Amino acid sequence: MAIQKELNISPVGRVEGDLDVKVYMEDGVVTRAHTQAAMFRGFEKIMEGKDPQAGLIVTPRICGICGGSHLYCASSALDTAWQTTLPPNALLLRAIGQATETIQSIPRWFYAIFATDMANKKFANKPLYDEVVKRFAAYVGTSFQRGVVASGRPVEVYALFGGQWPHSSYMVPGGVMCAPTLKDITRAHAIMNQFRKDWLETLWLGCSIERYLQIKSWDDLMAWVDENESQRNSDLGLFVRASLEFGLHKFGQGVGKFVAYGTYLHKDHYQKPTVEGRNAALISRSGFYDGNKYSVFDHMSIKEHVSHTWFEDVPAAHPWDEPMPVPVQSHTLHQTDFKKKYSWSKAPRYQDFAAEAGPLARVIMNANPDNLLPHQVFDPLFGDVMDKMGPNVFTRTLARVHEAARLYVLIDEWLRQIDLNGEFYIKPEEKDGKGFGATEAARGALAHWIEIENGVIKNYQVMAPTTWNVGPNDDQGKPGPIEAALEGTEIEDPHDPVEVGMVARSFDSCLVCTVHAHDGKSGKELAKFKL
Amino acid sequence: MTAIMGFGNPVRSDDGVGCYVIDQLRPVFDGTPGVGLFDMGTSAFEVLFKLKGYTRIRIVDAVVNTGETPGTLYKLPAEAIEAAIQEDPMVFLHSLKWDQALSYARKILGDTYPDDIQVYLIAVDDTRLEIGLSEAVRQAGEQVAHVLTKDLEAFHALP
């Protein structure tokens, strides 16, 4: 076989899937919105009939961005099914893997996805616009480059322990497949320290992490912004000031209900992994918040609806009880009847409610004063932010970036707690049964459900945060979170509806998103753009 | 200093051939000073961070819709990559491809951007959700691993 030359071709784009967002606008307001996941994502089917540990290999390959989060879920699901024993070191190294993946995505998402929209000409008449363009414009912005480069550091720590990032399989039922040395721990500290010096404290906060973490309320945050020039002119300071000036707190509310599975199972509280014991072992808490009150998270309250999904109709069911879906005829966006089936995504519901997953859900759970355990994060800031501002594009984004300081502290603490002479893996006994593993991926609640029968996988279900957020209408015709967040959004220029893009981006769906904006009366497509 | 980067998704049948090539090279070259072997999977953006410190880059990937039979090999000259790079300012983490990541790396790395970049592409048409390569594509992967082995041996002393 000869090596052929001369091929003018662009590489394969390996997208995690396509999402079409169709909105109808009348008199400058979005009146209807539908989200259409345009690709069948049947990774679970690969695992049917395979070795129970297939999920450790297959699921980190589902996504080129959240591979570590899938691994966290896949190993946890097997831990509960096999009733493993986990050494504290294993829980620490899994938490470090999850946290480094999440913290890297904060600057990468903020600069490479979200903030570029703030440099849109729509805001050109605002006083802070020039400064925003100077720092956040795609590629050429002064902070864009530094932030994106800094984002490469934390996952170097993941790779130290996991071998590589993102598609590693170092977390296994019973522990982790690595045995770090003192040199690795020292190196990990050095890498994180560089991240702090290059970006987190210098460019992002303009103050020490300790100072930033003193913020407990919305007024504290406002006072922090104005405390000195360094904080005021930091990228976070600019983001807060520009968001309020540009009005990002005025649109993109969503369903107003939130779900978080929580993550970072504590080294001393989850050595005997069970589904029932999970909530109490979490460092970043789980829960459901309905806009007024909190309730304790129970994965059995989750059901998936398929009445608007291109699968044969079955009653809404919990992932353990769902049959493998049978696909039906799908349609192009143009031919789709949105009263019928219109997406490859299922519609997950918690106690029959659509719920938003993501960083905002997480920080809301961390503000819950009830049932708080000493090892759990308590951070009242977003309880207050929700009272004063509610959910919107600004608060959703603020929640994402707010996590950086705390994650840095946690990673530092966990690195110090590793006992180099301790165990990292305890070989489990394989058995049949059901398992549930969950985490918080950077973009929200992620869970795997497994059922093992006769030593092989009978059923495997993956529910991604994007499924919560981009899901279609449910059996009652109620919209999913992004659909709800778009409705009512005021559009300044129907031929460049940047507001629609900002709402969609604020949810950070793990699909490549194309927005189609139509005139509500004539149905004519006025704008189409990719996010 | 040579970095070999294999791209693709091993749970999408023949799409995973780039990762297969890396697996073939590991037993011989893991730990060789100056040689980096990277299973890049589907994380194109990471190219930006992996280039640093390397003067020679070898990229292995699958390619669809070539019109040729699966297993056909292509070796692209660096100029062809330059010509094909799309300047799209709307970066999206999930849709960025490695050629765009290279273009972005050139902007960031400036003078340290490696000028010796070669790309090996293997024609595939089966990207079903399944694990494992077809025989024709596996053989093509073996051949690329062989070519890269010679390439590495000519530049690096084995441990």
Side-chain angles (χ1 to χ4, degrees):
Chain A
M1 201 187 300
I3 288 187
Q4 301 196 10
K5 288 187 177 180
E6 299 301 326
L7 176 75
N8 285 317
I9 194 164
S10 164
V12 185
R14 288 186 184 81
V15 296
E16 273 77 48
D18 291 310
L19 176 73
D20 288 294
V21 174
K22 191 172 189 179
V23 297
Y24 289 89
M25 302 172 295
E26 281 183 49
D27 305 322
V29 174
V30 174
T31 52
R32 267 187 299 153
H34 291 294
T35 51
Q36 179 173 88
M39 204 168 102
F40 173 62
R41 306 209 301 176
F43 283 95
E44 292 97 333
K45 257 197 143 30
I46 303 175
M47 287 176 284
E48 199 178 12
K50 291 209 166 66
D51 182 279
Q53 300 197 63
L56 304 173
I57 307 295
V58 171
T59 65
R61 299 278 178 179
I62 290 177
C63 179
I65 297 177
C66 289
S69 306
H70 279 289
L71 185 60
Y72 196 100
C73 289
S75 53
S76 298
L78 284 169
D79 283 324
T80 56
W82 287 354
Q83 297 158 324
T84 63
T85 302
L86 293 172
N89 279 338
L91 288 158
L92 288 169
L93 281 164
R94 288 185 188 181
I96 290 167
Q98 176 64 75
T100 50
E101 181 170 281
T102 299
I103 200 174
Q104 66 85 28
S105 107
I106 294 172
R108 202 174 288 188
W109 173 82
F110 179 80
Y111 295 107
I113 294 188
F114 185 80
T116 53
D117 267 349
M118 295 179 77
N120 187 285
K121 67 175 186 343
K122 169 187 165 67
F123 305 113
N125 60 345
K126 307 290 185 191
L128 285 171
Y129 179 74
D130 288 347
E131 186 61 23
V132 164
V133 170
K134 191 182 127 207
R135 288 200 220 171
F136 300 155
Y139 295 119
V140 293
T142 53
S143 296
F144 181 95
Q145 195 153 311
R146 279 179 64 188
V148 166
V149 170
S151 76
R153 304 316 297 270
V155 284
E156 289 177 23
V157 173
Y158 186 108
L160 268 180
F161 304 121
Q164 65 178 46
W165 182 83
H167 305 303
S168 162
S169 295
Y170 81 103
M171 304 178 203
V172 295
V176 289
M177 280 296 152
C178 63
T181 61
L182 183 60
K183 199 174 147 199
D184 294 328
I185 306 290
T186 311
R187 174 104 185 96
H189 276 299
I191 291 167
M192 289 310 294
N193 207 26
Q194 202 63 45
F195 177 73
R196 180 173 66 85
K197 283 187 186 159
D198 288 349
W199 179 73
L200 183 52
E201 286 188 340
T202 50
L203 191 64
W204 182 249
L205 297 175
C207 70
S208 69
I209 290 168
E210 293 73 22
R211 167 66 192 94
Y212 178 74
L213 288 175
Q214 288 167 7
I215 295 168
K216 303 287 180 218
S217 66
W218 173 250
D219 289 345
D220 282 358
L221 180 67
M222 290 297 100
W224 173 86
V225 169
D226 287 327
E227 191 171 78
N228 56 45
E229 277 306 294
S230 173
Q231 287 157 209
R232 194 175 160 73
N233 284 324
S234 68
D235 279 0
L236 176 58
L238 177 65
F239 162 69
V240 172
R241 290 183 295 131
S243 294
L244 298 175
E245 184 178 286
F246 295 5
L248 305 190
H249 56 306
K250 291 178 180 164
F251 61 99
Q253 280 78 9
V255 291
K257 298 185 182 350
F258 299 86
V259 66
Y261 301 157
T263 189
Y264 312 126
L265 293 154
H266 191 276
K267 71 179 176 71
D268 298 326
H269 300 292
Y270 206 60
Q271 289 170 24
K272 291 285 177 193
T274 61
V275 178
E276 298 71 31
R278 187 177 175 278
N279 281 338
L282 293 166
I283 294 172
S284 178
R285 300 167 72 193
S286 61
F288 175 69
Y289 180 69
D290 72 357
N292 291 307
K293 60 178 193 312
Y294 290 97
S295 50
V296 174
F297 172 72
D298 175 6
H299 79 102
M300 294 307 288
S301 294
I302 297 170
K303 282 182 181 169
E304 292 197 292
H305 296 228
V306 296
S307 56
H308 290 282
T309 308
W310 287 310
F311 292 137
E312 271 184 14
D313 277 328
V314 289
H318 180 272
W320 270 338
D321 304 322
E322 283 179 285
M324 279 287 175
V326 181
V328 300
Q329 180 65 48
S330 63
H331 299 284
T332 62
L333 186 70
H334 182 62
Q335 293 168 322
T336 300
D337 177 355
F338 287 94
K339 291 187 186 69
K340 297 178 179 166
K341 292 180 181 290
Y342 65 87
S343 178
W344 281 116
S345 176
K346 296 175 183 176
R349 293 294 181 263
Y350 190 88
Q351 292 172 354
D352 295 329
F353 293 113
E356 174 176 338
L360 183 54
R362 283 198 287 274
V363 293
I364 288 172
M365 300 319 155
N366 286 340
N368 180 5
D370 302 330
N371 308 318
L372 186 68
L373 295 166
H375 62 272
Q376 296 184 319
V377 173
F378 178 63
D379 179 355
L381 173 62
F382 274 83
D384 192 42
V385 169
M386 287 295 285
D387 284 348
K388 296 207 163 81
M389 321 202 56
N392 52 59
V393 168
F394 167 63
T395 48
R396 198 169 286 124
T397 306
L398 184 66
R400 179 81 173 260
V401 297
H402 176 67
E403 291 187 311
R406 187 173 315 282
L407 283 176
Y408 183 91
V409 173
L410 288 172
I411 292 167
D412 191 66
E413 199 177 299
W414 295 330
L415 284 169
R416 289 173 205 287
Q417 290 172 348
I418 293 170
D419 170 12
L420 294 171
N421 299 315
E423 286 179 301
F424 290 85
Y425 170 72
I426 297 167
K427 193 174 166 44
E429 188 192 329
E430 296 194 23
K431 54 183 87 167
D432 284 1
K434 286 178 171 181
F436 165 67
T439 189
E440 290 289 327
R443 45 203 52 72
L446 172 69
H448 292 188
W449 286 267
I450 190 172
E451 183 177 1
I452 304 161
E453 195 177 84
N454 299 323
V456 296
I457 295 172
K458 184 186 176 199
N459 190 2
Y460 204 102
Q461 298 281 346
V462 172
M463 196 188 288
T466 294
T467 320
W468 279 104
N469 293 334
V470 311
N473 280 201
D474 57 26
D475 293 354
Q476 281 80 46
K478 291 189 184 131
I482 293 185
E483 292 178 330
L486 286 167
E487 285 177 15
T489 298
E490 289 181 21
I491 306 296
E492 196 167 294
D493 176 2
H495 295 280
D496 184 15
V498 62
E499 298 87 349
V500 172
M502 292 187 101
V503 171
R505 281 180 199 267
S506 72
F507 284 92
D508 190 23
S509 63
C510 63
L511 300 166
V512 178
C513 179
T514 306
V515 171
H516 306 259
H518 293 253
D519 182 88
K521 289 179 184 128
S522 67
K524 192 181 157 209
E525 186 168 285
L526 298 177
K528 178 181 162 183
F529 59 95
K530 249 187 179 5
L531 301 182
Chain B
M1 299 286 274
T2 309
I4 314 244
M5 303 180 183
F7 287 86
N9 197 339
V11 299
R12 303 212 54 166
S13 304
D14 285 341
D15 187 47
V17 66
C19 305
Y20 174 79
V21 170
I22 297 298
D23 287 342
Q24 299 307 299
L25 295 172
R26 280 204 195 285
V28 186
F29 293 103
D30 251 350
T32 305
V35 175
L37 300 176
F38 299 107
D39 167 359
M40 300 297 289
T42 54
S43 58
F45 200 87
E46 294 306 298
V47 173
L48 177 63
F49 307 107
K50 297 290 194 294
L51 290 176
K52 216 175 166 189
Y54 292 99
T55 51
R56 305 165 74 245
I57 308 295
R58 303 290 178 262
I59 285 171
V60 189
D61 199 356
V63 61
V64 288
N65 302 325
T66 59
E68 297 291 335
T69 52
T72 305
L73 281 183
Y74 299 88
K75 182 179 175 187
L76 267 76
E79 310 89 81
I81 307 163
E82 294 289 326
I85 286 171
Q86 296 163 9
E87 291 290 344
D88 183 357
M90 294 315 286
V91 178
F92 191 97
L93 293 181
H94 290 271
S95 68
L96 194 81
K97 297 187 283 186
W98 56 254
D99 60 340
Q100 293 163 284
L102 284 178
S103 160
Y104 183 45
R106 177 182 284 282
K107 289 190 180 79
I108 285 198
L109 297 177
D111 289 346
T112 60
Y113 182 77
D115 52 10
D116 181 2
I117 301 182
Q118 289 180 27
V119 179
Y120 295 85
L121 296 176
I122 298 160
V124 307
D125 65 5
D126 177 4
T127 59
R128 282 175 306 154
L129 289 163
E130 205 33 87
I131 299 168
L133 303 176
S134 65
E135 186 51 25
V137 168
R138 194 193 62 75
Q139 281 182 18
E142 295 278 354
Q143 194 182 346
V144 172
H146 180 70
V147 169
L148 288 172
T149 299
K150 296 280 169 217
D151 183 9
L152 287 173
E153 283 172 350
F155 279 85
H156 299 275
L158 290 174

